[in-house]
């Protein structure tokens, strides 16, 4: 079937990349992007980093306005897609329009999880997902002295770092026993615990927040833990993870389960609909298990894979996952996924370099680095699909330096 009309729902990182890659791959038909946020597509990572300190909208926009006109991309902003009519191949928008498609790409992302805490809908409890959220938080932070953050994951900690740099008192309340528990090794959690404590952030572990209220003794709000301890602050940032925006897909009968289920080509259970990024549950090329990633890399690489398929170059999605987070002057970079990791090696490099190599049954599966871009880039090459597996003993022989291992591999290949 000729593809004359491609509609993309969601104008975030993945939606933007899908439109841009379709044109790069030579697609000549109509592209319509529909997003419920107002304005041009922008990057989310700076929202909890540089943009929180200085609101420079142009710096975070993915492309200026003329990119969309020059590339004949019809950008419909501030409009929600409310329904998908699969039989007629059309979407229905909040403006009452019916827009036909030959192929539909769902790039609806995720939204902040709202944990069932008593009083969580209090006025002074905020989330951080959109530019609007960031603007609101920044202006609240200006007048605040004490900040309470629920959740010691990436976003909570990045915001904690910014707030401390601005001289605010910060407490992070984490129900798990360590920071960034879902994503990093215990060694890396401890490393970041030291970084935040050294800068004066108070960290509390192991107790869930059970209630928030406006009854602080000295401050307008209070968070109470299960053990009865309570903390007063000027406002609360709730950063307790996200949920995929899959309801639109589920309502039209597409398979979902913690994300819109897609195959290795990122096709949903309907051959005319693809899904990508934060909203998509896809098979991990290494284990076959369905996974969902929340990263710029996954959203962008998914989009490129879909664009290639829709322009006649289908290939399974096999990109290596990678991620970064900036907290104070520590740049954390992660290459690979720690599936099955049962052993780690820690190497402290020059200055503030810190690397954790994670192994599953002696095979290297994931490398976490702090302030070591070179080791991170080498890890991405060594762990990429098709590379030779790297084993504990190989790395031990070169003092756990990936560049040395790579050099050795090259020398052996050339003899
Ligand atoms: P999104 O970028 O979330 O875009 C989805 C869009 O779809 C949204 O605009 C949403 O409003 C819209 N939408 C949803 N439903 C509908 C509908 N029915 N109709 C119309 N529009 C709809 N990743 C990293 O790799 N490194 C980082 O350092 C990092 N930092 C981050 C910091 C913050 C504060 C946040 C929020 C995220 C961060 N991320 C980071 C994650 C990264 O930004 C996301 O993984 C990425 O944006 C996912 O892209 P996406 O296109 O899947 O979804």
């Amino acid at each position: 079937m000729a593809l004359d009309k491609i509609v993309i729902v969601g104008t975030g990182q993945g939606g933007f990349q899908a439109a841009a890659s379709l044109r790069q791959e030579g697609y000549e038909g109509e592209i319509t992007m529909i997003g419920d946020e107002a304005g041009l597509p922008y990057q989310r990572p700076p929202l909890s980093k540089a943009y929180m300190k200085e609101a420079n909208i142009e710096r975070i926009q993915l492309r200026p306005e003329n990119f969309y006109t020059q590339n004949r991309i019809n950008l419909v902003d501030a409009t929600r897609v409310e329904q998908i009519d699969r039989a007629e191949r059309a979407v229905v928008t909040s403006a009452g329009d019916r827009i036909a498609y030959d192929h539909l790409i769902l790039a609806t992302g995720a939204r902040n999880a709202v944990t069932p805490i008593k009083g969580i809908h209090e006025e002074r409890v905020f989330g951080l997902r959109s530019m609007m959220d960031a603007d609101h938080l920044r202006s609240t932070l200006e007048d605040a002295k004490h900040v309470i953050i629920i959740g010691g994951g990436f976003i909570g900690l990045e915001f904690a770092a910014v707030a401390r740099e601005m001289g605010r008192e910060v407490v992070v309340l984490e129900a798990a026993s360590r920071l960034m528990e879902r994503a990093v090794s215990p060694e890396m959690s401890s490393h970041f615990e030291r970084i935040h404590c050294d800068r004066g952030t108070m960290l509390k572990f192991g107790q869930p927040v059970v209630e928030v209220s406006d009854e602080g003794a000295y401050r307008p709000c209070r968070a109470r833990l299960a053990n009865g301890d309570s903390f007063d602050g000027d406002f609360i940032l709730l950063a307790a993870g996200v949920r995929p925006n899959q309801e639109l897909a589920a309502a039209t009968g597409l398979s979902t389960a913690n994300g819109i289920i897609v195959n290795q080509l990122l096709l949903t259970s309907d051959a005319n609909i693809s899904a990508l990024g934060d909203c998509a549950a896809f098979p991990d090329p290494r284990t076959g298990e369905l996974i969902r990633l929340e990263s710029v890399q996954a959203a962008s690489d998914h989009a490129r894979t879909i664009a290639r398929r829709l322009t006649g170059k289908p290939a399974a999605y096999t990109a290596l996952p990678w991620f970064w987070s900036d907290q104070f002057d520590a740049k954390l970079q992660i290459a690979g996924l720690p599936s099955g990791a049962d052993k780690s090696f820690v190497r402290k490099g020059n200055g503030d370099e810190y690397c954790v190599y994670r192994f599953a049954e002696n095979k290297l599966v994931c490398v976490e680095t702090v302030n070591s871009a070179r080791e991170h880039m080498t890890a991405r090459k060594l762990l990429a699909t098709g590379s030779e597996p790297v084993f504990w003993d190989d790395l031990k022989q070169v003092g756990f330096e990936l560049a040395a291992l790579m050099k050795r591999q090259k020398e052996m290949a050339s003899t």
Side-chain angles (χ1 to χ4, degrees), residues 14 36-37 44 49 81 108 129 278 294-296 323-324:
D36 58 3
E37 291 187 72
R44 287 178 209 283
K49 308 175 183 81
V81 170
T108 49
R129 178 77 200 173
D278 283 15
E294 293 149 21
S295 73
V296 166
F323 190 83
W324 81 93

Side-chain angles (χ1 to χ4, degrees), residues 92-320:
V92 181
T93 73
S94 50
D97 294 326
R98 208 178 156 81
I99 301 175
Y101 66 81
D102 295 321
H103 196 88
L104 181 67
I105 301 175
L106 297 176
T108 49
R111 62 182 177 278
N112 291 323
V114 179
T115 40
I117 297 172
K118 195 174 165 202
I120 202 67
H121 297 291
E122 284 289 336
E123 250 176 47
R124 296 190 72 80
V125 180
F126 306 118
L128 176 50
R129 178 77 200 173
S130 64
M131 196 193 298
M132 221 162 78
D133 293 339
D135 291 339
H136 195 56
L137 262 178
R138 190 185 321 94
S139 66
T140 311
L141 189 58
E142 268 167 26
D143 300 326
K145 288 202 171 73
H146 295 254
V147 179
I148 299 172
I149 298 170
I150 301 179
F154 293 116
I155 292 176
L157 292 176
E158 288 176 0
F159 182 74
V162 171
R164 274 307 293 152
E165 281 170 342
M166 291 168 73
R168 307 302 185 267
E169 294 299 321
V170 178
V171 57
V172 177
L173 307 174
E174 170 54 60
S177 58
R178 60 185 179 89
L179 297 177
M180 302 177 282
E181 190 190 35
R182 277 191 310 134
V184 305
S185 60
E187 293 85 354
M188 194 54 86
S189 293
S190 302
H191 186 68
F192 273 87
E193 189 178 327
R194 275 192 299 276
I195 290 175
H196 284 270
C197 287
D198 285 352
R199 306 298 207 287
T201 304
M202 189 194 286
L203 303 171
K204 293 283 165 192
F205 295 105
Q207 290 290 325
V209 175
V210 291
E211 184 178 7
V212 302
S213 67
D214 58 1
E215 288 165 8
Y218 309 105
R219 303 269 150 210
C221 53
R222 166 168 289 187
R224 192 167 57 78
L225 302 181
N227 66 0
D229 288 352
S230 64
F231 299 87
D232 293 350
D234 296 302
F235 71 91
I236 296 175
L237 170 69
L238 177 65
V242 298
R243 299 282 174 270
N245 290 325
Q246 61 186 34
E247 291 73 10
L248 184 66
T252 192
L254 297 178
S255 307
T256 58
N258 185 29
I260 305 166
I261 297 179
V262 292
N263 65 14
Q264 287 174 321
L265 297 171
L266 301 161
L267 257 183
T268 65
S269 44
D270 179 331
N272 300 315
I273 306 180
S274 303
L276 60 77
D278 283 15
C279 70
F282 66 99
D284 179 347
R286 284 143 201 95
T287 64
E289 276 171 35
L290 273 187
I291 54 170
R292 202 175 58 73
L293 296 178
E294 293 149 21
S295 73
V296 166
Q297 171 276 323
S300 308
D301 284 343
H302 282 174
R304 292 186 185 101
T305 302
I306 292 172
R308 284 197 285 269
R309 167 165 47 78
L310 295 179
T311 51
K313 292 151 271 181
Y317 177 75
T318 57
L320 179 84

